[in-house]
Amino acid sequence: QVQLVESGGGLVQPGGSLRLSCTASGFILDYYAIAWFRQAPGKEREGVSCISHNERRVYHRNSVKGRFTISRDNAKSTVYLQMNSLKPEDTAVYYCARRSLECGNIWSTNGTDFGSWGQGTQVTVSS
């Protein structure tokens, strides 16, 4: 059974850090790009970061550049999202999803060409 499971969310104060994990099962992670998306209450889903299957291409949305880092460990079938200097506007449910090999145009498709979505993990940034 193909599955992606997110973990690592929680409540953190502004300026704090969290590391999200996306663990894959039922397929070989090496052949897939993995992206993180988020959705805040009342807002549309948006792409956050994406890493290609071979790590050669990494993308971050402008609002998280310099604060978030995406990485992968194919041996552990896991993709990570390290989030530093968190802001209240980062509050959302974070999801990971897969796409064959490359990220594609994640900003324009907004994840419609990604599949096998996880159940999400809540990130709340608040004092």
Side-chain angles (χ1 to χ4, degrees):
Q1 180 183 1
V2 171
Q3 198 172 14
L4 291 171
V5 178
E6 303 94 339
S7 62
L11 173 63
V12 63
Q13 292 186 342
S17 298
L18 284 174
R19 187 177 79 159
L20 305 184
S21 297
C22 173
T23 302
S25 61
F27 67 99
I28 299 174
L29 186 64
D30 305 50
Y31 302 128
Y32 291 88
I34 298 293
W36 286 94
F37 298 84
R38 66 187 181 187
Q39 187 165 22
K43 295 187 177 181
E44 290 188 356
R45 183 178 68 198
E46 62 183 18
V48 178
S49 303
C50 187
I51 185 167
S52 67
H53 71 107
N54 57 7
E55 301 182 75
R56 291 180 182 175
R57 281 161 288 280
V58 172
Y59 307 92
H60 295 285
R61 71 180 300 107
N62 287 337
S63 62
V64 307
K65 284 181 180 177
R67 300 189 297 123
F68 289 13
T69 303
I70 189 170
S71 62
R72 64 192 296 155
D73 185 340
N74 287 344
K76 294 183 178 180
S77 296
T78 302
V79 173
Y80 304 98
L81 184 67
Q82 178 67 44
M83 306 187 296
N84 299 328
S85 302
L86 282 161
K87 303 176 180 181
E89 51 264 42
D90 295 317
T91 295
V93 178
Y94 284 70
Y95 302 89
C96 61
R98 68 172 187 169
R99 186 180 185 275
S100 180
L101 298 179
E102 301 294 337
C103 295
N105 194 340
I106 182 174
W107 312 124
S108 63
T109 62
N110 207 21
T112 56
D113 55 345
F114 280 74
S116 305
W117 293 79
Q119 82 290 346
T121 186
Q122 176 71 47
V123 172
T124 303
V125 185
S126 175
S127 55

